[in-house]
Amino acid sequence: MKVAKFGGSSLASSRQVKKVVNIIKADSERRFIVVSAPGKRSSDDIKVTDLLVELYHTRLENRDVSALIETIFERYQEIGAPFHVDEAILNQIRQDLQSLADIPYENNPHFYDTVLASGEDNNAKLIAGILQAEGENARYVNPQELGMLVTDEPQNARILSKSYTSIYQWRESEETLVIPGFFGYTEAGEVCTFSRGGSDISGAIVAAGLKVDLYENFTDVDGIFVAHPGYIHHPESMAEVTYREMRELAYAGFTVFHEEALMPSYRAKIPVVIKNTNNPSHPGTIIKNERSNHDNPVVGIASDEGFSMIYISKYLMNREVGFTLRVLEILRDFNLNYEHMPSGIDDISIILRANQLNPELEEELLRKIAYEIDPDELRITHDLTMVVVVGEGMKHRVGTTAESTAALARKSINIEMINQGSSEVSIMFGIHKEREQDAIRTLYYTFFE
Ligand code: ASP
């Protein structure tokens, strides 16, 4: 049994939906279909979800939303037209969209989520209708009916574990079920969405609940590239990657798959395959708990910019009990979240996301550290990029760090910080942001091709 999730670009037009129908028909194990809202038809197009965001703001400004509703409706109508979808389904979609013009928004914390979720909800109705018109025994299932219960955290819902038991009951269903992604219901019956891009999360939850053999995530690329195609011309794509490796890559900006979507399938030990709707015969990239192939110690190279580093050094720091605790307490008092903290005998570096800082806060923070910690040296460096070399294979092979630093040295790239956790899944290098592209390239040619 498989859960197949189709992203917005796979459902943006009737041409794309035709490919989706063929994919579903090609494999009788694809019985649980999770859909996003229609995405962009071309690079300058607008996603239906973004039109709904506009609808929300227009309502808040007390302006007329009928033109927007018509634009959104036409997107569904245009997709459904060549399939001769039952008129009743289109009427239902129109009515649902029209209701968004009337639901009250004052004192309604779920208004935004209700508006946004309609993108996926109506698309699931449409896709179920299209599958029926194509002769499939398919039906739409609302997340409430499915049992997808979530916490009451608008735009950031989390699944309640009892949902898995309810979802499991659907295993025996004879029909192909089409489920809207991106949202669930609170116990009080309110719509709550996951964070943006959250249909991947829904797919993973449905896969974990049904205990299927595979979660197929259909998108518009042939799997996950080993490095960003913006830096490397036609990079290789990965055949397989472990959840732990994927977590590290996702942290540093690999966004093919929603980061939070890894959790449910990881826990349920269900492999996820990222596949291309436009090239379904390509095997794609499989994410699983264990990787059998360790030929290359590295699976991918990622980078993420926008970091600052506070360097604190104090002679005999290692003998001072509670030193780090005091530093972290200061960070907490300033409500600052840190990402990494590599340390030496007498120094520590605290790496944080620069978007949390501003010049006044920074000055106050440094003053406080200077006053309370009395360091010998204290400085802050900005414009750092973290380059991450990821691969569980490095556990089994000596020299991955040496090869990486040698590659960076050949290009005269100064390493401001190195961090390798004892799990040996990744090595992280802090470099100046201007050298990001050079670093990615030299590391890519060291470990790939
Ligand atoms: N449609 C939603 C978004 O654009 C969720 C998704 O596509 O996964 O964020």
Side-chain angles (χ1 to χ4, degrees), residues 63-190:
R63 290 191 289 124
D64 180 31
V65 289
S66 47
L68 258 172
I69 287 180
E70 199 47 37
T71 306
I72 299 169
F73 177 69
E74 280 166 11
R75 292 284 281 269
Y76 293 106
Q77 194 178 35
E78 191 186 297
I79 295 169
F83 299 97
H84 308 292
V85 173
D86 190 347
E87 272 302 310
I89 293 176
L90 287 168
N91 286 338
Q92 224 185 325
I93 295 176
R94 188 190 280 276
Q95 266 172 24
D96 182 88
L97 286 169
Q98 262 154 6
S99 74
L100 300 179
D102 306 318
I103 40 177
Y105 57 81
E106 268 157 16
N107 303 321
N108 181 358
H110 302 96
F111 177 61
Y112 187 68
D113 296 44
T114 308
V115 172
L116 258 59
S118 78
E120 306 355 69
D121 199 42
N122 285 321
N123 210 24
K125 290 177 195 156
L126 180 70
I127 300 297
I130 290 175
L131 286 169
Q132 285 157 7
E134 291 284 299
E136 290 291 294
N137 183 16
R139 84 151 165 120
Y140 153 84
V141 184
N142 180 272
Q144 196 167 30
E145 192 187 352
L146 187 77
M148 175 99 64
L149 286 177
V150 296
T151 56
D152 194 351
E153 293 171 279
Q155 292 123 67
N156 202 17
R158 278 168 304 132
I159 192 74
L160 295 178
S161 54
K162 57 178 141 181
S163 305
Y164 293 113
T165 325
S166 317
I167 295 172
Y168 187 77
Q169 313 303 321
W170 290 85
R171 258 181 87 93
E172 305 307 324
S173 165
E174 300 277 295
E175 296 148 309
T176 298
L177 304 181
V178 186
I179 305 154
F182 192 35
F183 70 100
Y185 284 80
T186 65
E187 293 195 277
E190 301 287 354

Side-chain angles (χ1 to χ4, degrees), residues 15-65:
R15 205 170 138 249
Q16 287 302 90
V17 170
K18 183 74 197 146
K19 296 177 192 169
V20 168
V21 170
N22 290 339
I23 291 169
I24 296 170
K25 282 186 168 177
D27 187 343
S28 59
E29 291 186 3
R30 292 186 178 124
R31 288 189 16 232
F32 303 95
I33 312 300
V34 177
V35 297
S36 281
K40 294 182 181 191
R41 291 160 293 189
S42 60
S43 56
D44 53 3
D45 198 12
I46 307 176
K47 291 168 84 170
V48 162
T49 310
D50 290 323
L51 290 171
L52 291 163
V53 171
E54 198 182 324
L55 189 150
Y56 164 83
H57 289 294
T58 311
R59 283 262 350 246
L60 251 48
E61 289 160 14
N62 271 325
R63 290 191 289 124
D64 180 31
V65 289

Side-chain angles (χ1 to χ4, degrees), residues 244-245 248-249 251-252 297-304 340 342 385-395 397-406 408 415 417-431 440 443 446-447:
R244 279 163 19 121
E245 289 168 335
E248 303 272 335
L249 291 165
Y251 170 80
V298 174
V299 285
I301 299 156
S303 61
D304 198 10
H340 313 283
T385 287
M386 294 297 144
V387 174
V388 195
V389 177
V390 177
E392 296 211 31
M394 64 179 84
K395 257 194 307 242
R397 211 178 86 172
V398 176
T400 313
T401 309
E403 280 175 60
S404 309
T405 51
L408 295 172
I415 303 172
M417 187 262 343
I418 302 187
N419 197 5
Q420 183 183 34
S422 44
S423 62
E424 287 191 73
V425 182
S426 71
I427 322 166
M428 189 174 288
F429 299 101
I431 60 165
I440 297 285
L443 290 166
T446 301
F447 294 108

